[in-house]
Amino acid sequence: MITKLKKRRREWRQTILIIILLCVTFWELAGHWVWFLRSPVNVTPGGCTRFLLVGDPQIQGYYGEPGGIFGFLTRWDVYSYLQSYVAAGYRLSQPDEVVFLGDLLDEGSTASDDEFSSYAGAFHQLFPWSQMPRQIFVAGDNDIGGEGMHDYISKGKVRRFGMHFRPVNGNKTAKNGVSLIWINSMALSYRYMTDPDVQEEALDFLKSLAQRRNASPSTARPGVLFSHLPLEEMSRRRLLAELGINTVFSAHTHDFSTAVYSRGGLRTGPRDATWDGRHVMQVTFDEATLPCYAAGECVLSVSVPTVSYRMGKSSMALSVVDIDAAGRVQNLIVLPLPPRYPVLIGYLVLAVLCCVCATCF
């Protein structure tokens, strides 16, 4: 009788453990597919270039995490989360370009050269070029400096970011002819301690683009600017206006927001596009909603949410945007990502139940 009871208890413990492992495995493997099927994204409109915007992935390093096995698990979990949902967002949206809007690394600015190389390698393993061949990397303050008053933006930090990703200032042409520009926005802000040569490099880059545009106005194309800092935190906004920029995309704040600027760089007011953080939001900016933008008389600035649950925000999202040949937003979709901490708490509860069952049965 005692032997049968022990056998039954062992079978109960095994059954409970198998059920828990199946639940965890199912959610970890199928969670992003469930999100994929529930996230509606339309086909890219004709004449538009589609972008997948990834805000502040900020993959964790070693010094900001606990030591030992717990630190390994925290890094693994956030890496797995980011890789799964950015890849699912790529498959869902089928973008022409993937844009990482700065703060690619959490400890990039404070890392040694070897550590930076290691972190950059981990980043490229999470988001491989072979799967997303057209990528734009914008430098953020966590990547090259500016995270705090004493985090100096040096030429060395800027140079190594360019070695592992792309130069901090650059431009290319989209498939519909729109000029795509990305800049070191911290060098254009008075808030950050920046090497004068780095500031001069950013200004010279913008001036050279403006000169080329003024030299051949008949062939000049409208532009879209990708920046880590929102437009309101940058100086030299009047110079940016000379580049024919109609739309600016940024991150940094970890939240979704929009603002409207005059061609002279003055902020004329916010937009009524607010996101509740839970549901898919689709926004259009046409003559009815924003007539000055549709007429080319003002600049629209859009700040996108973070994709990482480690940024202290309860809401994360990927953003998909279609840009027409005039460099204006035809369609903007904010795709909320599932919260992670409730899932982790659920796993902890399951682990406790497993221990209790193992003790009681």
Side-chain angles (χ1 to χ4, degrees):
M1 184 67 180
I2 295 177
T3 303
K4 289 182 178 179
L5 183 60
K6 288 183 177 179
K7 182 179 180 181
R8 186 176 300 174
R9 287 179 175 176
R10 185 169 61 253
E11 290 174 350
W12 266 102
R13 287 197 296 267
Q14 292 174 347
T15 301
I16 292 171
L17 181 60
I18 289 172
I19 291 174
I20 291 174
L21 289 176
L22 286 175
C23 289
V24 172
T25 302
F26 171 79
W27 183 250
E28 290 302 311
L29 294 179
H32 62 279
W33 284 107
V34 173
W35 173 87
F36 178 92
L37 296 173
R38 295 181 59 189
S39 301
V41 174
N42 301 327
V43 177
T44 307
C48 289
T49 298
R50 170 162 289 182
F51 298 87
L52 176 64
L53 304 180
V54 183
D56 299 283
Q58 207 160 322
I59 68 168
Q60 268 59 41
Y62 295 104
Y63 297 103
E65 299 296 291
I69 186 65
F70 187 64
F72 169 81
L73 290 175
T74 58
R75 283 189 298 274
W76 174 84
D77 190 72
V78 71
Y79 285 10
S80 177
Y81 180 92
L82 291 171
Q83 183 180 47
S84 297
Y85 285 103
V86 172
Y90 182 83
R91 290 191 295 267
L92 177 68
S93 60
Q94 293 297 300
D96 300 298
E97 301 274 354
V98 181
V99 185
F100 293 91
L101 287 165
D103 279 1
L104 314 184
L105 312 174
D106 187 48
E107 301 173 12
S109 175
T110 57
S112 66
D113 289 344
D114 288 340
E115 290 165 346
F116 191 95
S117 179
S118 175
Y119 297 155
F123 182 94
H124 289 304
Q125 286 184 342
L126 294 180
F127 314 113
W129 282 92
S130 59
Q131 294 181 17
M132 292 176 276
R134 297 171 300 279
Q135 301 184 36
I136 294 175
F137 302 108
V138 178
D141 49 316
N142 282 76
D143 303 315
I144 62 172
E147 183 71 7
M149 289 298 295
H150 303 291
D151 192 11
Y152 190 66
I153 304 175
S154 66
K155 290 187 289 185
K157 293 179 182 179
V158 169
R159 183 169 54 251
R160 73 181 181 185
F161 183 91
M163 290 173 55
H164 291 283
F165 296 101
R166 277 188 177 174
V168 295
N169 306 301
N171 70 296
K172 62 191 289 190
T173 302
K175 71 172 188 178
N176 61 352
V178 171
S179 178
L180 308 178
I181 303 168
W182 60 94
I183 59 170
N184 176 5
S185 54
M186 283 73 66
L188 301 178
S189 173
Y190 295 119
R191 291 181 51 199
Y192 297 91
M193 298 288 291
T194 307
D195 187 296
D197 290 340
V198 173
Q199 290 179 323
E200 194 66 27
E201 180 183 355
L203 289 173
D204 287 345
F205 170 75
L206 294 176
K207 289 176 181 178
S208 66
L209 290 181
Q211 289 171 358
R212 275 186 282 170
R213 181 180 178 84
N214 294 332
S216 55
S218 60
T219 60
R221 301 296 300 171
V224 174
L225 178 68
F226 299 106
S227 162
H228 180 61
L229 298 181
L231 192 56
E232 65 184 21
E233 294 193 28
M234 287 188 285
S235 59
R236 308 285 181 165
R237 291 197 290 267
R238 186 177 296 276
L239 177 60
L240 295 175
E242 296 180 18
L243 302 177
I245 291 170
N246 288 326
T247 311
V248 179
F249 293 103
S250 62
H252 186 61
T253 64
H254 302 164
D255 291 316
F256 178 83
S257 63
T258 60
V260 179
Y261 291 82
S262 69
R263 284 291 173 188
L266 297 177
R267 180 167 177 162
T268 59
R271 256 287 291 146
D272 292 333
T274 57
W275 177 51
D276 63 11
R278 298 186 305 276
H279 301 96
V280 175
M281 182 180 70
Q282 185 166 343
V283 186
T284 56
F285 301 94
D286 51 24
E287 294 182 0
T289 58
L290 194 58
C292 72
Y293 181 61
E297 298 171 353
C298 61
V299 178
L300 175 66
S301 176
V302 180
S303 185
V304 303
T306 180
V307 295
S308 175
Y309 68 86
R310 294 292 302 274
M311 295 300 102
K313 298 293 182 180
S314 59
S315 301
M316 300 79 63
L318 286 165
S319 303
V320 179
V321 62
D322 298 316
I323 300 292
D324 64 17
R328 291 191 283 268
V329 175
Q330 284 295 306
N331 189 37
L332 172 64
I333 305 174
V334 180
L335 299 171
L337 299 177
R340 185 60 178 169
Y341 285 122
V343 174
L344 296 177
I345 293 173
Y347 290 165
L348 181 61
V349 171
L350 287 175
V352 171
L353 288 177
C354 185
C355 294
V356 171
C357 291
T359 304
C360 296
F361 289 101

